[in-house]
Amino acid sequence: MSGEFKQFRLETRDWLERNCPASMRAPMPPEEVVWGGRDAEFVNPDSKLWLERMAARGWTCPTWPAEFGGGGLNPAQAGILAEELARIDARPPLTSFGISMLGPVLLEYGTLEQKLEHLPKIVRGEIRWCQGYSEPGSGSDLASLNTRADLQDGYYLINGSKVWTSYADKADWIFCLVRTDFEAPKHQGISFVLFDMASEGVSTRPIKLISGSSPFCETFFDNVKAPAANIVGRLNDGWTIAKRLLQHERTMISGFGLAGGQAEGGGASETTLESIAMRYRGDKGRLSNPVLRDRIAQFKIDSEAFALTSRRSAEESTGGGPNHISSMLKYYGCELNKRRCELLLEAAGNRALGWEGEGFDEEELSLAREWLRSKANSIEGGTAEIQLNVIARRVLDLPDLTGILREKR
Amino acid sequence: MAASMLLSEEQQLLRESARGFCREQAPISLHRKLRDSRDPDGFDRDLWRRMVDLGWSGMAVPEEFGGYGFGHLGLGLVLQETGRTLVDSPLIATVLLGANAILELGSDRQKAEILPRVVAGELLLAFALDEGALHDPARIEATAFATENGYALNGAKTFVLDGHVADRIIVVARVNDGSNGAGALGLFLIDAAAPGLEITRTIMVDGRNSANLHLSNVQVSADRRLGESATSPADLDRMLDIARVGLAAEMLGSIEEVFERTLDYLRQREQFGVPIGAFQALQHRAAEMYSEIELSKSLLRAALAALDDPVSDHRRIAKLASAAKAKLSEVFFLVSNEGIQMHGGIGMTDEFDIGFFLKRARVAQQFLGDAGFHRDRYAALHSF
Ligand SMILES: Cc1cc2nc3c(=O)[nH]c(=O)nc-3n(C[C@H](O)[C@H](O)[C@H](O)COP(=O)(O)OP(=O)(O)OC[C@H]3O[C@@H](n4cnc5c(N)ncnc54)[C@H](O)[C@@H]3O)c2cc1C
């Protein structure tokens, strides 16, 4: 490793040592995740301090250019920062759709004004974004969407409704797909528009999930006004941006597949699948249920292979951003996370099946909730089946039946 | 920072030249010819000479012993390419198992004496470990009794790859030298023509050659014991792990080849007026295979890198080797079965090559431990 990187590592380590509060170096309970926004909540006051310090260096978005508030790091430096954060088990200072989804496409397709207006606020966690893609009639067939935007006096007037909009009730702004050409084929009449959720005419209604929480909403637009300058990219070319953003989203979601942990560290921790399985069976040194043991081993091998593949994919795409392999990682990562949750349920027996109240500890209660939540992994961000379609067509170059039949007609 | 998952330019060149060589000089038709003619050697000696000339017999052998020092990754890349066209050659028995055993477990004198001859293609080796229906290095019943100037070997060995053509055979046995060291492992390099050694060629379903050995009082001198002292089970394991990873590399090449052949067929074969690859039922299965293959590649790459990394300890190598052998065995199983199914009737004909991969898959899965064996070992290595 060159001297420059060595120096960077030492400085980073030193800075983190002095600036990462002790309570930020412990596992993060879900309620302490920092999403930012106008009404940001900080369950733990240290979280606010940690966010402010990291944001001041641009390290909530390490590779974004400094002129937009980012850290301006090159990939190698960003890798070192990530390793140093991992080394002290530091929590992510900020989690947001702005960071993982909107920011990357604004950097690629936004105007200078759009970048200057929105990116620094994402870096600092001042504005929380939500994603207005799915509609009641348009899920997997997203391009069939009907929410419309009509140009009127320099504004787009937006009407329609979205569904499954994660955190729409808590978000400040939305990036939204709208139809702006009603004559063109479905993919060619869509635009990508940004607007404030506090605008007149926006309303949301939370939906409760099988896991008991209500992270997403139905979202209604009734003559909502968005300035014409808020279209990202070219008018009617929103599908290009929509797809690009989905690649970023899929890469982000594929990270669920890393929850199984790098197998290397396994064994020592109290929270690994195998140690939970052994604890509830009173086993020492060897898991007594041979079937479960075999399946956990298989799961861990797949998790390790998956983590290596994520790394390889990142190395292969240096600079190019996510590619079609993101569909494979999304597909596999989500299946892995579902497998992990099912195995946890088996590992803990009826102790994992408690819903609320006395008789179960926090960890046990979270197992059932997490298991239920994991079922969404292969639905959100494009279903498993849609990812397999993308792999078949885009990666394996297999023919498109719908296209063939259309031509024959 | 962890080792890169990417190949260097030199390694890419090596892989490409190996691919070109196999495609032109060792295509599957050669495998078919050897099988159909029931070739007494089971491989083409002329081809082997050309492989030796390319340096493949010395890929992972250090330069001080006449090799080329390309490391285990170098040999792995070559094996991956020979797996694509199912090349029958002494690479596995002589190089991956034999030379590796001598390199890992032999004394300096033994290395200096034997390795240069292996690299030069003068000597064929075989490795005799298993005794029953399953790979089980913990169950060795062959014995080596200490005699005045060496040992007397007794026992039986099965599934000894290239056992019928090897000049020398490395036999794993339990040593009884009268001391309390009874039961320690020893590896003995015996001459194929040694009195008391009975070799029966067995032709396996993949067309490759294994042999059953019967040893009754085979005499071997003390300086033919590898390392000239006891081999610990951990040392034997280390040597086997290198071979397991190399075998997994060969398996990956075969997997990639079946998969690509199957994809070609999906694009080209028409039914109901459309290419069958347009049917979603087949597309999704193909996409799943693709995912599994990508994971297999990463695991193998990491395992090969770990073998060459001077700082990786044996526990880490063992975990990666078992992970790779388990995963590659599963994926070869999957892809070889789907390869037949997606070809329909023609996939079942002997005239068509795809069946060779199915046959090779099962033998490679069993060899040096199947998926179940390696998942069990992986779990034990992770203390559960
Ligand atoms: C937790 C969660 C969070 C979400 N957050 C957001 C958000 O923030 N913003 C947002 O816009 N959306 C969000 N979504 C919506 C999500 O993107 C959609 O649910 C998803 O795209 C699937 O659409 P659908 O629900 O209409 O299912 P459908 O499209 O109706 O699919 C039903 C079933 O049919 C299958 N199917 C459909 N088409 C095909 C095909 N061509 N081939 C094979 N099978 C097919 C699907 O795979 C699925 O199994 C979220 C969803 C969940 C579960």
Side-chain angles (χ1 to χ4, degrees):
Chain A
M1 194 184 302
S2 78
E4 183 197 344
F5 289 139
K6 209 165 184 178
Q7 184 64 22
F8 178 77
R9 186 183 292 278
L10 289 178
E11 281 170 16
T12 302
R13 186 173 293 185
D14 180 56
W15 186 87
L16 289 176
E17 213 41 75
R18 283 182 288 113
N19 288 281
C20 183
S23 72
M24 293 294 105
R25 304 181 192 197
M28 178 162 58
E31 64 277 11
E32 291 194 19
V33 173
V34 175
W35 289 89
R38 290 174 187 142
D39 310 317
E41 292 167 41
F42 297 96
V43 178
N44 177 339
D46 281 347
S47 303
K48 187 159 187 281
L49 199 64
W50 178 224
L51 170 59
E52 286 167 356
R53 288 175 177 171
M54 286 290 276
R57 305 205 73 172
W59 282 2
T60 48
C61 303
T63 57
W64 294 8
E67 56 174 321
F68 307 127
L73 303 187
N74 62 37
Q77 291 170 322
I80 292 173
L81 173 60
E83 285 172 8
E84 289 302 315
L85 285 164
R87 199 182 66 86
I88 58 170
D89 292 323
R91 297 177 181 182
L94 180 63
T95 302
S96 82
F97 298 161
I99 295 179
S100 53
M101 296 193 241
L102 179 64
V105 299
L106 275 186
L107 280 168
E108 197 170 340
Y109 297 99
T111 61
L112 182 64
E113 289 73 29
Q114 287 168 342
K115 291 180 198 174
L116 287 171
E117 179 185 351
H118 297 298
L119 294 176
K121 293 178 193 161
I122 293 175
V123 172
R124 295 194 296 266
E126 288 169 10
I127 291 293
R128 181 170 182 180
W129 288 86
C130 65
Q131 176 187 32
Y133 273 36
S134 306
E135 296 181 7
S138 304
S140 298
D141 184 11
L142 181 59
S144 69
L145 59 92
N146 281 316
T147 292
R148 59 187 298 150
D150 298 276
L151 190 61
Q152 223 174 60
D153 309 327
Y155 283 92
Y156 279 100
L157 217 51
I158 297 165
N159 281 287
S161 65
K162 297 285 173 181
V163 72
W164 321 128
T165 327
S166 295
Y167 307 111
D169 52 341
K170 301 201 170 68
D172 307 311
W173 277 65
I174 186 167
F175 47 92
C176 193
L177 295 179
V178 292
R179 188 159 298 284
T180 39
D181 185 334
F182 304 89
E183 310 301 320
K186 64 180 179 180
H187 294 98
Q188 289 155 34
I190 295 171
S191 297
F192 189 100
V193 66
L194 314 175
F195 56 90
D196 195 324
M197 288 292 277
S199 311
E200 203 172 317
V202 177
S203 58
T204 59
R205 192 155 64 209
I207 307 169
K208 193 167 167 182
L209 294 190
I210 51 176
S211 59
S213 63
S214 324
F216 59 26
C217 299
E218 291 177 279
T219 308
F220 305 96
F221 309 124
D222 182 13
N223 280 327
V224 177
K225 279 163 89 180
N230 285 13
I231 301 267
V232 179
R234 288 200 313 276
L235 187 69
N236 295 327
D237 191 27
W239 187 246
T240 306
I241 300 174
K243 278 193 303 184
R244 188 70 180 142
L245 185 138
L246 280 174
Q247 290 187 334
H248 289 285
E249 179 179 10
R250 287 167 186 170
T251 304
M252 183 254 310
I253 293 176
S254 76
F256 290 146
L258 301 173
Q262 290 268 15
E264 271 171 52
S269 165
E270 284 289 286
T271 54
T272 59
L273 201 41
E274 62 272 25
S275 52
I276 291 172
M278 291 203 287
R279 193 189 328 143
Y280 285 107
R281 284 163 184 74
D283 294 341
K284 289 257 164 344
R286 186 188 171 96
L287 181 52
S288 54
N289 176 336
V291 177
L292 183 58
R293 180 171 177 267
D294 186 62
R295 285 173 47 225
I296 291 178
Q298 191 176 37
F299 167 79
K300 285 175 77 81
I301 290 170
D302 287 344
S303 297
E304 191 169 356
F306 179 78
L308 289 164
T309 307
S310 302
R311 219 182 84 203
R312 180 162 64 88
S313 150
E315 284 184 31
E316 279 170 354
S317 76
T318 41
N323 45 31
H324 289 305
I325 231 192
S326 63
S327 282
M328 190 280 278
L329 295 175
K330 153 67 166 92
Y331 165 70
Y332 210 99
C334 291
E335 296 304 311
L336 265 182
N337 199 44
K338 290 197 297 179
R339 255 166 87 189
R340 185 180 65 91
C341 290
E342 292 289 2
L343 285 167
L344 277 169
L345 232 54
E346 263 183 82
N350 64 29
R351 308 301 305 164
L353 298 175
W355 184 251
E356 60 189 11
E358 305 290 308
F360 298 98
D361 65 30
E362 283 296 314
E363 184 193 300
E364 288 170 337
L365 286 175
S366 74
L367 290 176
R369 308 281 175 147
E370 200 189 342
W371 163 69
L372 288 163
R373 174 64 182 80
S374 74
K375 297 300 172 197
N377 294 165
S378 48
I379 300 171
E380 58 199 321
T383 65
E385 290 76 14
I386 293 301
Q387 306 311 318
L388 294 173
N389 286 347
V390 173
I391 297 170
R393 306 255 184 72
R394 303 274 171 268
V395 184
L396 305 180
D397 200 23
L398 290 172
D400 170 16
L401 186 62
T402 333
I404 296 174
L405 296 179
R406 201 181 299 128
E407 268 169 41
K408 291 207 168 188
R409 238 185 277 127
Chain B
M1 224 195 291
S4 168
M5 296 290 290
L6 307 181
L7 291 182
S8 72
E9 213 165 297
E10 186 188 35
Q11 289 158 348
Q12 283 179 34
L13 274 174
L14 171 65
R15 186 175 64 182
E16 270 150 42
S17 83
R19 182 170 305 184
F21 177 87
C22 293
R23 199 184 295 135
E24 282 150 33
Q25 312 214 22
I28 297 191
S29 53
L30 181 64
H31 170 71
R32 178 181 293 280
K33 200 176 105 200
L34 290 165
R35 182 201 65 166
D36 289 350
S37 65
R38 295 192 167 59
D39 187 274
D41 289 335
F43 70 98
D44 182 331
R45 285 188 187 264
D46 222 43
L47 178 74
W48 176 234
R49 173 89 333 256
R50 277 173 274 147
M51 290 164 77
V52 167
D53 290 343
L54 283 175
W56 291 3
S57 52
M59 225 23 94
V61 176
E63 284 163 29
E64 55 176 315
F65 301 117
Y68 308 105
F70 271 86
H72 297 293
L73 178 57
L75 179 59
L77 291 172
V78 166
L79 284 166
Q80 201 175 325
E81 295 310 318
T82 61
R84 278 187 172 262
T85 58
L86 300 173
V87 181
D88 305 290
S89 86
L91 264 186
I92 303 267
T94 297
V95 180
L96 183 65
L97 286 160
N100 166 30
I102 289 162
L103 191 61
E104 290 297 317
L105 307 173
S107 66
D108 283 343
R109 200 182 46 77
Q110 290 164 334
K111 290 182 210 178
E113 181 196 327
I114 301 160
L115 290 176
R117 297 188 60 202
V118 170
V119 176
E122 294 166 13
L123 212 54
L124 295 182
L125 304 176
F127 188 78
L129 171 76
D130 288 321
E131 301 179 359
L134 296 159
H135 175 65
D136 190 357
R139 222 205 76 195
I140 302 294
E141 285 172 6
T143 53
F145 272 95
T147 61
E148 223 162 279
N149 42 17
Y151 301 88
L153 304 188
N154 283 285
K157 296 282 176 185
T158 65
F159 207 22
V160 181
L161 189 65
D162 286 358
H164 70 303
V165 282
D167 304 303
R168 306 273 172 80
I169 301 174
I170 299 169
V171 177
V172 184
R174 295 221 171 264
V175 180
N176 189 332
D177 56 7
S179 74
N180 59 4
L185 286 174
L187 278 73
F188 300 89
L189 189 68
I190 63 173
D191 207 281
L197 173 61
E198 201 182 300
I199 302 173
T200 321
R201 178 180 183 186
T202 52
I203 295 179
M204 307 300 285
V205 68
D206 65 345
R208 291 199 193 175
N209 306 281
S210 293
N212 291 333
L213 306 189
H214 206 271
L215 300 107
S216 54
N217 265 325
V218 176
Q219 302 296 316
V220 50
S221 60
D223 60 359
R224 299 271 114 185
R225 180 173 184 180
L226 294 193
E228 292 171 50
S229 65
T231 299
S232 72
D235 287 338
L236 177 62
D237 249 354
R238 193 184 66 230
M239 175 255 141
L240 288 173
D241 280 332
I242 295 173
R244 287 161 178 152
V245 176
L247 177 66
E250 191 206 38
M251 293 166 80
L252 178 62
S254 303
I255 289 169
E256 289 178 317
E257 183 70 21
V258 198
F259 185 55
E260 283 164 28
R261 283 169 182 249
T262 304
L263 283 178
D264 282 343
Y265 196 70
L266 291 181
R267 294 189 197 105
Q268 149 220 329
R269 165 77 174 165
E270 294 202 357
Q271 282 295 283
F272 301 96
V274 299
I276 54 170
F279 297 125
Q280 200 179 46
L282 303 187
Q283 289 190 339
H284 283 193
R285 278 151 62 189
E288 276 171 27
M289 285 192 270
Y290 164 78
S291 310
E292 295 292 358
I293 294 170
E294 286 302 308
L295 261 68
S296 304
K297 276 186 200 167
S298 312
L299 208 44
L300 181 71
R301 194 71 59 74
L304 284 166
L307 293 182
D308 287 329
D309 183 352
V311 303
S312 49
D313 59 69
H314 181 234
R315 205 176 166 78
R316 180 178 144 67
I317 288 177
K319 285 177 186 172
L320 277 167
S322 274
K325 184 63 175 52
K327 182 78 189 164
L328 271 289
S329 295
E330 280 174 33
V331 176
F332 205 175
F333 176 88
L334 170 75
V335 175
S336 59
N337 281 345
E338 290 284 55
I340 298 281
Q341 178 63 23
M342 292 188 186
H343 277 85
I346 200 165
M348 286 302 294
T349 59
D350 183 66
E351 204 185 316
F352 204 72
D353 289 339
I354 204 88
F356 285 142
F357 290 92
L358 178 71
K359 295 171 178 174
R360 176 62 194 149
R362 294 305 178 278
V363 177
Q365 282 168 239
Q366 279 300 323
F367 199 56
L368 302 177
D370 64 5
F373 172 93
H374 283 290
R375 286 200 296 267
D376 173 65
R377 181 167 179 256
Y378 183 89
L381 286 163
H382 277 94
S383 318
F384 72 95

